[in-house]
Amino acid sequence: MAAAAAGGCGDSGGRRLPPRSLAEPALHTVEMHTGGEPLRVIPRLEAMEEAAAAGLSLLALRRHMAATQDHVRRALMHEPRGHGDMYGAVVVHGGAAADGADLAVLFLHGSGYSAMCGHAVLALGRFALDYGFVAAPQRPETAVRLRCPCGPVTAFVPWDGCRSGNPVRFHSVPAFAAATGGARAGDVPIDVPGHGRVVVDIGYGGTFYAFLSAEQLGLDVCSSKTRELVSAASAVTEAVKEQ
């Protein structure tokens, strides 16, 4: 992920860069962001292409990557190349994983793999057009068919005949309420360390989310400090996962 002069061993200051072992594979990435949210795209990972060509579905491909290629995720998401908020996407074109879509994608982050990411989908819509993954783009807007671990997602991307543009929108998989709080619907109580017992709603929109009012945590979204809101939300997330 470093660039050197054509000679491959120097720069304008006369300093020499250490040689890269030609025996080690090089990973090429495309760096993108959506309103500041980062996305590191891996356009091609040979091991995943081979597995897709062999007939693995996208979910099976995700399990295969976690078992055999997790070093790639760690190398690109963790420091020094990544950081705590880095997000990634491994692109798979064709094969059983794509299942008729323009491309399939596996979402990566510092802790593992996720099923859906809205900011990544917005960026991938533009990536697919600008890198030629869509066979016949249409003006003024092209539908880009993505196969995500959560299911089929379609991004709608402006296209001027040469390159993609903004704004991008997308249709995700159907959302639904998995569980709702309240006596009539059946409470969903969660014990949150430092905050006591709260009641949450569980909703699905490509992945599962817990919803609750800030007041239950003794906070106010308009006046409380951002770090307090983030800390409380993280505590709720971990409690929901455990319980």
Side-chain angles (χ1 to χ4, degrees), residues 223-239:
S223 61
S224 295
K225 295 180 179 179
T226 301
R227 63 175 176 268
E228 294 175 342
L229 292 166
V230 172
S231 177
S234 297
V236 171
T237 298
E238 292 307 313

Side-chain angles (χ1 to χ4, degrees), residues 23-219:
E24 295 295 326
L27 289 172
H28 298 277
T29 69
V30 176
E31 305 298 312
M32 305 185 74
H33 76 90
T34 304
E37 292 284 347
L39 182 67
R40 175 163 288 163
V41 182
I42 303 93
R44 184 169 186 266
L45 190 57
E46 187 173 350
M48 294 300 99
E49 297 282 354
E50 293 174 352
L56 288 187
S57 67
L58 186 58
L59 290 178
L61 198 65
R62 185 172 67 166
R63 292 191 292 269
H64 179 71
M65 180 165 182
T68 67
Q69 302 294 313
D70 198 54
H71 60 280
V72 173
R73 179 191 65 82
R74 298 193 302 271
L76 296 180
M77 299 297 104
H78 293 176
E79 293 181 352
R81 300 175 186 87
H83 52 76
D85 293 322
M86 180 56 72
Y87 210 87
V90 173
V91 171
V92 180
H93 184 57
D99 194 22
D102 295 306
L103 57 87
V105 61
L106 299 175
F107 296 121
L108 321 174
H109 52 78
S111 300
Y113 303 82
S114 55
M116 173 59 182
C117 176
H119 91 263
V121 165
L122 295 174
L124 286 166
R126 295 195 61 174
F127 167 84
L129 281 180
D130 291 335
Y131 281 80
F133 283 92
V134 180
Q138 300 294 315
R139 297 185 189 181
E141 185 180 68
T142 295
V144 180
R145 300 169 301 163
L146 305 174
R147 175 66 62 173
C148 302
C150 65
V153 175
T154 302
F156 298 90
V157 186
W159 176 250
D160 66 5
C162 296
R163 60 178 299 175
S164 66
N166 286 322
V168 182
R169 58 192 177 93
F170 68 88
H171 288 171
S172 187
V173 293
F176 60 88
T180 56
R184 288 183 298 176
D187 290 337
V188 186
I190 300 293
D191 292 313
V192 182
H195 297 279
R197 174 160 291 198
V198 300
V199 176
V200 301
D201 295 336
I202 305 296
Y204 180 84
T207 188
F208 287 96
Y209 297 89
F211 296 87
L212 76 163
S213 65
E215 287 77 9
Q216 290 194 68
L217 302 168
L219 300 171

